[in-house]
Amino acid sequence: MSDRSYFAPHGGHPPQTQVMTDRAVFTDAYAVIPRGTMMDIVTSAFPFWDKTRAWILARPLTGFAETFSQYIMEVAPGGGSDTPEPDHRVQSVLFVTEGSVEVTLDGATHTLSEGGYAYLPAGERWSLRNTGSAPASFHWIRKRYEDVEGLDRPDPLFLNEADIAPNVMPDTNGAWATTRFVDPADLRHDMHVTIVTFEPGGCIPFAETHVMEHGLYVLEGKAVYRLNADWVEVEAGDFMWLRAFCPQACYAGGPGRFRYLLYKDVNRHPRMDL
């Protein structure tokens, strides 16, 4: 774990002497929510969550995210929820960036420390508690599951990034790799949450343009990212939303690695009732 870094916001409030200019951008094709916007004043609270606050990074909204919501959850010691998910149609991925939490599912309790990942299928009852002495921070990605006749729903997963070997992209000499928590050939899954790593100098050398919607949270480092027709500078703690078909590319100029948590919708026909 010592060679991995996971940025987590801690809130606060900017001083009156701070200039207002920042890197926040919201367009029809993409959005950039810099880490400096994640202050105390913009947190949310949820029913049946104790000693917990959240920064909502994305939610289904006209002209914004269509397939998912994503939160950064901050849970104080002793906090959590026995009934966290209000919608039985929704599946979840949790990814821990600071501290540790305990997730209970089907009577079994699993400890997720930094780098910990959980996939929680739709319709399952689960609970989460911070039993430690320090605050815990994790990403909570939610998506309504799209059932397919003839396919079972996926099984729960409790994993850690440290135990998974990254898949190196072909012809990159190790400069670009993806850590996959789910087998891409498993069509039961209709979303993937992965970690993408670029070594200094690594890049996406073309403008990717595809049907998958993206949420990208920068875990570590900095880079310039191509979003539609613009190049923007991003750093650890920033969040990006990319609409389906929004062109994207990346250049990780260094000095350290550039890593992000990536959401995308996969393995389903496009809906025809919109």
Side-chain angles (χ1 to χ4, degrees):
M1 296 296 294
S2 60
D3 64 339
R4 295 174 178 85
S5 176
Y6 307 103
F7 186 91
H10 294 124
H13 192 75
Q16 291 288 292
T17 54
Q18 180 172 305
V19 296
M20 288 181 287
T21 304
D22 202 351
R23 296 173 293 110
V25 179
F26 190 95
T27 76
D28 292 339
Y30 71 88
V32 178
I33 302 176
R35 71 187 195 182
T37 67
M38 298 177 203
M39 297 286 107
D40 293 348
I41 196 171
V42 297
T43 57
S44 296
F46 298 135
F48 312 116
W49 281 85
D50 304 320
K51 301 180 181 179
T52 301
R53 62 180 183 172
W55 286 276
I56 299 179
L57 303 177
R59 52 157 285 193
L61 180 73
T62 301
F64 193 36
E66 296 179 345
T67 62
F68 75 109
S69 64
Q70 183 164 345
Y71 317 147
I72 298 175
M73 304 287 288
E74 183 183 85
V75 184
S81 177
D82 295 326
T83 53
E85 178 52 67
D87 190 337
H88 70 278
R89 300 168 297 177
V90 169
Q91 62 192 320
S92 294
V93 164
L94 311 180
F95 185 80
V96 178
T97 54
E98 187 172 67
S100 65
V101 295
E102 291 189 350
V103 179
T104 301
L105 176 70
D106 293 332
T109 298
H110 307 265
T111 299
L112 297 178
S113 57
E114 292 180 12
Y117 166 103
Y119 173 76
L120 304 167
E124 298 282 350
R125 293 185 61 86
W126 54 278
S127 62
L128 183 146
R129 287 286 164 188
N130 178 0
T131 60
S133 59
S137 183
F138 64 92
H139 285 254
W140 183 8
I141 298 171
R142 302 172 62 235
K143 180 182 184 295
R144 183 182 296 182
Y145 184 70
E146 296 181 54
D147 285 298
V148 175
E149 186 175 355
L151 289 180
D152 294 331
R153 289 186 172 182
D155 299 319
L157 294 170
F158 295 92
L159 306 166
N160 194 290
E161 184 198 0
D163 302 322
I164 301 172
N167 295 95
V168 176
M169 295 292 287
D171 303 319
T172 65
N173 197 31
W176 176 9
T178 301
T179 302
R180 298 188 173 102
F181 299 98
V182 169
D183 182 355
D186 187 347
L187 297 186
R188 295 178 302 169
H189 287 274
D190 66 356
M191 71 169 174
H192 288 165
V193 176
T194 62
I195 294 176
V196 178
T197 299
F198 289 96
E199 299 298 330
C203 67
I204 299 175
F206 70 106
E208 289 188 30
T209 308
H210 51 64
V211 69
M212 286 84 76
E213 181 179 32
H214 277 342
L216 290 79
Y217 177 82
V218 183
L219 297 168
E220 179 181 353
K222 65 177 183 177
V224 287
Y225 218 94
R226 165 79 179 269
L227 299 169
N228 199 13
D230 307 315
W231 284 95
V232 299
E233 189 174 13
V234 292
E235 64 178 343
D238 293 347
F239 176 78
M240 293 172 275
W241 163 76
L242 285 68
R243 190 188 193 110
F245 300 106
C246 175
Q248 62 169 300
C250 173
Y251 174 66
R257 295 184 305 179
F258 176 63
R259 294 174 7 102
Y260 55 81
L261 188 71
L262 171 68
Y263 159 88
K264 61 181 176 182
D265 52 313
V266 296
N267 297 338
R268 295 295 184 268
H269 287 288
R271 291 175 54 190
M272 304 300 288
D273 57 349
L274 297 179

